[in-house]
Amino acid sequence: MHGDPTRFAERVLDVVESIPPGRVMAYGDIAEFLGEGGPRQVGRVMALWGGGVPWWRVVRADGSPPVCHERRAMKHYQSEGTPLRGERVDMRLARWDGGDRPDPVT
DNA sequence: CTCTTGACGCCGG
DNA sequence: TCCGGCGCCAAGA
């Protein structure tokens, strides 16, 4: 398939798997959390190897799901109870910081 | 080596 | 809120 995941890709996929159900992270959030790469690089990793992880929990900064996968993503959101605002995720409530806390609410 | 592309992000208008 | 433009950075042609 597309070659093997690089070390950076492995980290990205690992973070995605750590996102709890009902929560999401933006592409840029993941890059910032890892301290390397950028949103485009995270996007490329998801495009190539995102099929093996909860890819629907990775959205754009404005909460819109991955292009061309909106329908499938919405189904998961409804199933997980992810806070929605119309056709996108309500980042104010669903944004995950990447930590292990069950609830980042202060 | 240069040019284009992309599961992005931010800033105006 | 929607839309267009520009910046960013790695990979492929």
Side-chain angles (χ1 to χ4, degrees):
Chain A
M1 307 302 182
H2 308 289
D4 300 304
T6 60
R7 184 179 66 54
F8 173 67
E10 295 265 346
R11 288 192 187 182
V12 171
L13 299 176
D14 188 59
V15 172
V16 176
E17 290 184 287
S18 75
I19 304 174
R23 294 289 181 144
V24 300
M25 280 184 82
Y27 296 89
D29 291 339
I30 295 175
E32 186 178 357
F33 180 78
L34 292 176
E36 64 176 326
R40 310 301 299 255
Q41 281 54 260
V42 173
R44 184 151 35 74
V45 170
M46 293 306 292
L48 295 175
W49 309 292
V53 298
W55 53 265
W56 58 91
R57 294 175 193 158
V58 182
V59 301
R60 290 176 109 166
D62 66 353
S64 52
V67 62
C68 263
H69 296 279
E70 300 89 347
R71 209 56 175 290
R72 273 159 278 183
M74 287 300 293
K75 184 169 179 55
H76 283 291
Y77 299 149
Q78 290 172 34
S79 177
E80 296 182 358
T82 305
L84 299 177
R85 207 192 81 196
E87 299 297 312
R88 3 180 159 139
V89 175
D90 187 333
M91 297 304 280
R92 186 186 58 172
L93 300 175
R95 197 179 192 198
W96 182 245
D97 55 22
D100 293 350
R101 266 163 288 161
D103 194 331
V105 177
T106 54

